[in-house]
Amino acid sequence: MTLSDRPLEPEEQEALADLLSLRQSIDNIDAALTHLLAERFKFTQRVGELKAVHGLPAADPDRERQQIQRLRALAEDAHLDPAFAEKWFGFVVAEVIHHHERIASASSERSTD
């Protein structure tokens, strides 16, 4: 539906109001997801720091496999495409590993100074 200069019919006004309400809900969820991701990355930052201090590798393939299985099951229970959940998780894990590698690199540079 597009808006034009003509007056809207009552059903169009109702549909537009529904659309705006749905979009507001989506915007609220997007904001919550952004805040949750920020909180998640605060914890993964701490994990990266612990790994760097103790010389542990940035990636943990066993943990990642376990998490993928867990998230796929959660997605199925929530009626979300498990493949989508796995793709999302893969993206997040790749970013976390990148952060962990940067932390480890910075840590090793500090220890050699």
Side-chain angles (χ1 to χ4, degrees), residues 11-97:
E11 64 272 1
E12 291 174 320
Q13 289 176 355
E14 186 176 330
L16 183 57
D18 288 346
L19 178 65
L20 293 174
S21 176
L22 290 168
R23 285 180 173 168
Q24 183 60 54
S25 294
I26 291 168
D27 290 351
N28 290 343
I29 292 168
D30 287 346
L33 287 170
T34 300
H35 288 282
L36 286 170
L37 281 171
E39 193 66 19
R40 187 186 195 287
F41 274 93
K42 286 178 191 174
F43 287 106
T44 61
Q45 178 83 11
R46 291 173 51 193
V47 168
E49 292 165 357
L50 279 170
K51 286 180 173 184
V53 166
H54 297 285
L56 298 171
D60 186 343
D62 289 336
R63 165 86 172 148
E64 292 165 30
R65 276 190 291 280
Q66 291 169 355
Q67 286 297 89
I68 288 169
Q69 289 175 343
R70 187 178 75 84
L71 290 173
R72 286 184 69 91
L74 287 170
E76 287 180 21
D77 289 345
H79 306 288
L80 178 68
D81 179 3
F84 172 78
E86 187 172 342
K87 282 187 225 175
W88 167 82
F89 183 69
F91 174 78
V92 170
V93 167
E95 191 65 22
V96 167
I97 290 170

